[in-house]
Structure formats: structure tokens, C-alpha cells
Amino acid sequence: MSMEDRFGGLVRRLREAVLEGTGVTDVGMRAAAEARAAAFGGRPGASDATGPARVPEPAGAFVDKVARDAYRVTDEDVEALRSAGYSEDAIFELTVSAALGAGCGRLERGMSALRGEV
């Protein structure tokens, strides 16, 4: 059994829950945050982080930081989003969407490498 066979369904269910589930942020915004972060994570076929995945500022900079250097996210980064009108729930949803995108982008890139596609 391949890794894709073993974990593919779980990854799909996680993506559905995060990107299509009920939340305070718009489904499109969560999808855009995921796609933007996945480009940074190396998703095959992703051109760049600003193409179709538009996330308004300052949320875009936050998504980028989560995707590239999550360990560098500070209280000030979160406060900037609060000051821009984002609720705690919205910030959480953006964070999870970005983390999902970055992780899935890396996973997809790794699986492509294992298949010899990269």
C-alpha cells in the first residue's frame, strides 16, 4: 500500500473540514490562504503566492509568514490582524488554512519527488 493510498483519504477529509467547513471567514478566503501557502510549500504547478490566491493585507503577510517561518509569528503579528478587524476565530482559521497549505504543498512536492516527477 502506497503512502498516498494510506493517507490520501485522511488528507482529503482534513482539507474538506478546514476549507469547506463552517467558519467565520469566507470559504474563498480560507481556500486562497491555503493555496497561497501551498505555493510557498512547493505545490507542483503553483506559479506564485500572489496569482489566483488573493488574500487581502495584512492577512496576506500573515499567511506568508505562517507558510515560510511559522516559528517567527509573534504577538505583534496577531495584534496587527486584530487591529485590522479580524476576530480571534478568523485569525485561527487563517492560521490553520495557511499551515494546511504549507504542509500539503510540502507533502505534494515530496510525493512528486518520490515518483520521480521533480
Side-chain angles (χ1 to χ4, degrees), residues 71-118:
Y71 67 96
R72 292 183 184 223
V73 173
T74 64
D75 292 340
E76 290 78 20
D77 297 318
V78 174
E79 188 54 43
L81 291 177
R82 273 195 215 113
S83 295
Y86 291 90
S87 68
E88 291 288 327
D89 288 340
I91 295 167
F92 175 77
E93 290 172 11
L94 284 171
T95 304
V96 171
S97 297
L100 174 68
C104 284
R106 290 177 179 102
L107 175 63
E108 293 160 11
R109 180 78 172 187
M111 295 305 293
S112 290
L114 289 172
R115 289 189 301 267
E117 299 169 355
V118 177

Side-chain angles (χ1 to χ4, degrees), residues 11 15 30 36 42 45 50 58 60-61 63 65 71 81-82 91 96:
V11 172
R15 287 176 50 87
R30 283 181 269 155
R36 182 173 176 141
T50 58
V63 166
K65 195 169 199 179
Y71 67 96
L81 291 177
R82 273 195 215 113
I91 295 167
V96 171

